């Protein structure tokens, strides 16, 4: 991922330097387990442990010749080992994927922990924002069209729960990707004892893979990426809500606009939802990772490395982008400008059409058939749409023409927006308990 969208902690997780540090750690743990079992000389452990990780530049230089990154790494690290002869026992009984998949599991869990911390913050800011606006009346929309009265906090609460569920999915996925595979060339432990795998897993606070055939099956990695895609799309849901709300014709929501900020190079009046649009665009990047990574599950007879090049691109990019998206979305919600007066004005802009559902039920409960009541209310509503005459007026006219008596006092009661949201208390109680 380009530097523009990379935050320091997550960038560090996926840096080449950190990767080689992890490779050193895994190889050292394997060597220690061999030495403890008496399979290699005990005096080689300390020199290897003390050897500095090779630099990415040195590994790349050697790889130009070897065309094999693990061999290049082992050679560069051996050059840092004193005496160099101790390095002869590094990678003992292992295959490349033992090292690669185990170190990748550490990277995935480290990245996940950063993402889970950001999700905690996003859930909290969404929860608190929703609770602060549990009484902020607005019009609810379906298909972009005014429907019934609602409160802004209800919409935000829905997203808050989705963010919490996304966090739960990612936490479960962390457990499945956090596996160690130290099983040898085709995963049969032919040249390495299974106890080594267990020892390495314990030291890394991971678990041994249930099975591996030189590589770990990519279903769990695919699940992890899919979880990130859902997280990114929940972030986009927030962004889309703001983008719609900031449209000039709506003007109910807006991103914070700082002093000195510019909205357009040509039109000085513009205040554009640029953060929301960035979120929407980057969510596509994360979703784009799902299928290529998933295609790493079926490999050629019985395994190949076609998944490797895909994952070198998409795993860091998906994690780094999701990290940035969570950062952006949390800030977007924390600084969001909500225009409650404009929400109320928009709610009232259709002349009472938002109360047709209650009027319909009132007529049915008064003895009219549903078909007749619907026809009466719809005809009055269509006249309001076409003429701009307030709905109560068109309703009175149509009711009089049809010989239907209206209880005006009752209509006053049911045509109040607060009545529509009176039963949302339990929802906000559940939200308040969300952590």
């Amino acid at each position: 991922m380009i530097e523009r969208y990379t935050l320091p902690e997550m960038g560090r997780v996926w840096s080449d330097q950190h990767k080689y540090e992890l490779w050193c750690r895994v190889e050292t743990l394997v060597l220690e387990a061999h030495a403890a079992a008496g399979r290699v000389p005990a005096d080689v452990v300390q020199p290897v442990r003390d050897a500095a990780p090779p630099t990415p530049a040195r590994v790349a230089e050697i790889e130009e010749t070897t065309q094999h990154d693990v061999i290049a790494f082992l050679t560069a690290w051996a050059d840092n080992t004193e005496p160099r002869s101790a390095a002869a026992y590094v990678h003992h009984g292992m295959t490349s994927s033992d090292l690669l998949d185990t170190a990748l599991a550490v990277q995935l869990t480290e990245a996940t922990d950063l993402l889970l911390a950001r999700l905690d913050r996003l859930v909290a800011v969404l929860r608190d924002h929703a609770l602060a606006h549990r009484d902020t009346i607005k019009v609810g929309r379906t298909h972009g069209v005014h429907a019934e009265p609602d409160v802004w906090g209800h919409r935000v609460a829905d997203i808050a729960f989705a963010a919490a569920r996304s966090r739960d999915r990612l936490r479960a996925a962390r457990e499945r990707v956090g596996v160690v595979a130290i099983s040898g060339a085709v995963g049969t432990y032919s040249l390495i004892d299974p106890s080594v795998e267990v020892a390495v897993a314990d030291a890394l606070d991971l678990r041994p893979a249930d099975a591996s055939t030189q590589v770990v099956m990519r279903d769990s990695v695919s699940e992890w990426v899919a979880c990130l895609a859902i997280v990114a799309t929940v972030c986009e849901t927030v962004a889309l809500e703001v983008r719609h709300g900031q449209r000039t014709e709506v003007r109910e929501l807006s991103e914070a606009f700082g002093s000195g900020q510019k909205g357009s190079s040509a039109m000085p009046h513009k205040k554009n939802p640029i953060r929301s649009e960035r979120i929407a665009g980057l969510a596509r990047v994360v979703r784009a990772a799902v299928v290529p990574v998933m295609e790493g599950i079926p490999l050629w007879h019985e395994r190949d490395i076609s998944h490797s090049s895909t994952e070198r691109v998409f795993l860091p990019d998906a994690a780094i982008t999701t990290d940035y998206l969570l950062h952006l979305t949390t800030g977007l919600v924390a600084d969001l400008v909500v225009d409650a007066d404009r929400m109320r004005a928009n709610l009232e802009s259709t002349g009472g059409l938002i109360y047709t559902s209650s009027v319909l039920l009132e007529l049915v409960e008064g003895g009219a058939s549903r078909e007749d009541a619907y026809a009466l209310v719809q005809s009055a509503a269509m006249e309001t749409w076409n003429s701009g005459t307030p709905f109560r007026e068109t309703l009175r006219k149509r009711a009089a023409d049809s010989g239907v008596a209206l209880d005006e006092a009752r209509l006053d009661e049911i045509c109040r927006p607060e009545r529509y949201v009176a039963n949302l208390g339990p929802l906000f109680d559940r939200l308040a308990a969300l952590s």
Side-chain angles (χ1 to χ4, degrees):
M1 178 50 60
I2 64 175
E3 185 177 349
R4 179 183 179 90
Y5 304 129
T6 303
L7 299 175
E9 286 183 287
M10 188 63 79
R12 164 69 179 160
V13 169
W14 296 102
S15 68
D16 283 342
Q17 186 60 52
H18 185 58
K19 178 178 70 174
Y20 295 139
E21 289 167 0
L22 290 178
W23 287 12
C24 290
R25 185 180 180 196
V26 171
E27 292 282 5
T28 301
L29 289 172
V30 171
L31 186 65
E32 289 173 349
H34 280 319
R39 298 187 191 97
V40 304
D43 60 359
V44 303
V45 174
Q46 195 61 47
V48 169
R49 189 185 291 137
D50 292 342
T55 66
R58 179 57 179 152
V59 175
E61 180 184 0
I62 298 173
E63 191 179 353
E64 285 292 322
T65 299
T66 64
Q67 294 298 299
H68 194 293
D69 59 344
V70 172
I71 294 175
F73 158 78
L74 293 171
T75 300
W77 194 28
D79 290 343
N80 293 348
T81 305
E82 182 61 42
R84 198 180 193 284
S85 58
Y89 293 96
V90 172
H91 207 66
H92 198 70
M94 297 170 64
T95 189
S96 296
S97 290
D98 289 340
L99 173 61
L100 297 173
D101 281 0
T102 298
L104 177 61
V106 178
Q107 285 180 296
L108 292 172
T109 53
E110 287 178 343
T112 303
D113 289 342
L114 293 177
L115 294 172
L116 288 172
R118 289 205 185 276
L119 274 163
D120 283 341
R121 291 192 287 273
L122 178 59
V123 169
V125 76
L126 285 166
R127 177 199 63 213
D128 294 347
H129 185 90
L131 291 171
H133 289 279
R134 64 183 297 167
D135 298 318
T136 303
I137 294 287
K138 66 180 289 293
V139 67
R141 298 174 175 89
T142 61
H143 311 276
V145 179
H146 286 201
E148 290 187 357
D150 199 353
V151 289
W152 171 237
H154 179 202
R155 177 63 179 133
V156 180
D158 194 21
I159 302 172
F161 284 115
R165 291 190 296 270
S166 299
R167 179 185 56 190
D168 294 343
R169 291 186 196 97
L170 184 57
R171 188 176 289 118
R174 183 195 188 281
E175 297 304 311
R176 283 189 275 277
V177 296
V179 297
V180 167
I182 309 288
S183 55
V186 292
T188 60
Y189 304 97
S190 59
L191 300 176
I192 195 163
D193 193 272
S195 63
V196 173
E197 185 178 69
V198 173
V200 173
D202 288 345
L204 294 175
D205 197 24
L206 301 175
R207 63 181 179 83
D210 297 322
S212 58
T213 56
Q214 192 170 42
V215 297
V216 175
M217 183 74 78
R218 259 41 196 178
D219 59 302
S220 295
V221 177
S222 299
E223 178 190 15
W224 184 83
V225 173
C227 287
L228 298 197
I230 294 173
V231 169
T233 307
V234 170
C235 290
E236 186 182 7
T237 301
V238 177
L240 187 60
E241 196 72 29
V242 175
R243 292 172 70 191
H244 280 308
Q246 192 161 333
R247 289 165 51 229
T248 305
E249 294 82 1
V250 179
R251 228 165 52 248
E252 295 177 356
L253 306 170
S254 62
E255 296 183 3
F257 197 82
S259 176
Q261 184 174 338
K262 312 299 181 193
S264 166
S265 64
M267 297 167 284
H269 72 279
K270 296 297 291 295
K271 294 171 67 174
N272 300 330
I274 57 168
R275 181 179 295 190
S276 298
E277 291 174 356
R278 191 181 309 160
I279 291 168
L282 289 175
R284 300 168 190 168
V285 173
V286 183
R287 288 194 293 269
V290 174
V291 172
V293 172
M294 190 175 293
E295 288 176 346
I297 298 175
L299 298 176
W300 278 34
H301 194 195
E302 292 169 358
R303 51 84 57 181
D304 59 57
I305 59 168
S306 60
H307 66 285
S308 176
S309 54
T310 301
E311 291 175 3
R312 287 174 194 263
V313 175
F314 280 107
L315 296 186
D317 278 7
I320 290 169
T321 306
T322 303
D323 184 52
Y324 184 65
L325 282 170
L326 288 167
H327 166 72
L328 279 182
T329 307
T330 300
L332 174 65
V333 176
D335 298 332
L336 188 63
V337 178
V338 178
D339 191 334
D341 292 338
R342 180 69 180 185
M343 286 182 171
R344 189 73 183 221
N346 283 342
L347 177 142
E348 296 171 352
S349 66
T350 56
L353 287 179
I354 56 174
Y355 303 118
T356 59
S357 55
S358 287
V359 173
L360 169 65
L361 294 186
E362 184 69 16
L363 292 176
V364 170
E365 291 171 5
S369 70
R370 184 174 180 86
E371 292 80 3
D372 289 344
Y374 195 102
L376 171 61
V377 174
Q378 186 183 43
S379 65
M382 292 304 105
E383 183 177 345
T384 295
W385 273 121
N386 294 329
S387 67
T389 304
F391 174 63
R392 288 285 289 272
E393 292 183 26
T394 62
L395 180 65
R396 290 189 193 97
K397 178 176 177 292
R398 297 285 177 156
D401 292 345
S402 302
V404 175
L406 297 176
D407 184 336
E408 293 290 346
R410 179 60 180 162
L411 289 177
D412 287 341
E413 169 59 24
I414 65 175
C415 292
R416 292 188 308 108
E418 292 79 10
R419 184 176 180 272
Y420 281 75
V421 297
N423 293 328
L424 285 176
L427 180 149
F428 286 109
D429 290 342
R430 293 191 294 273
L431 181 66
L434 188 63
S435 62

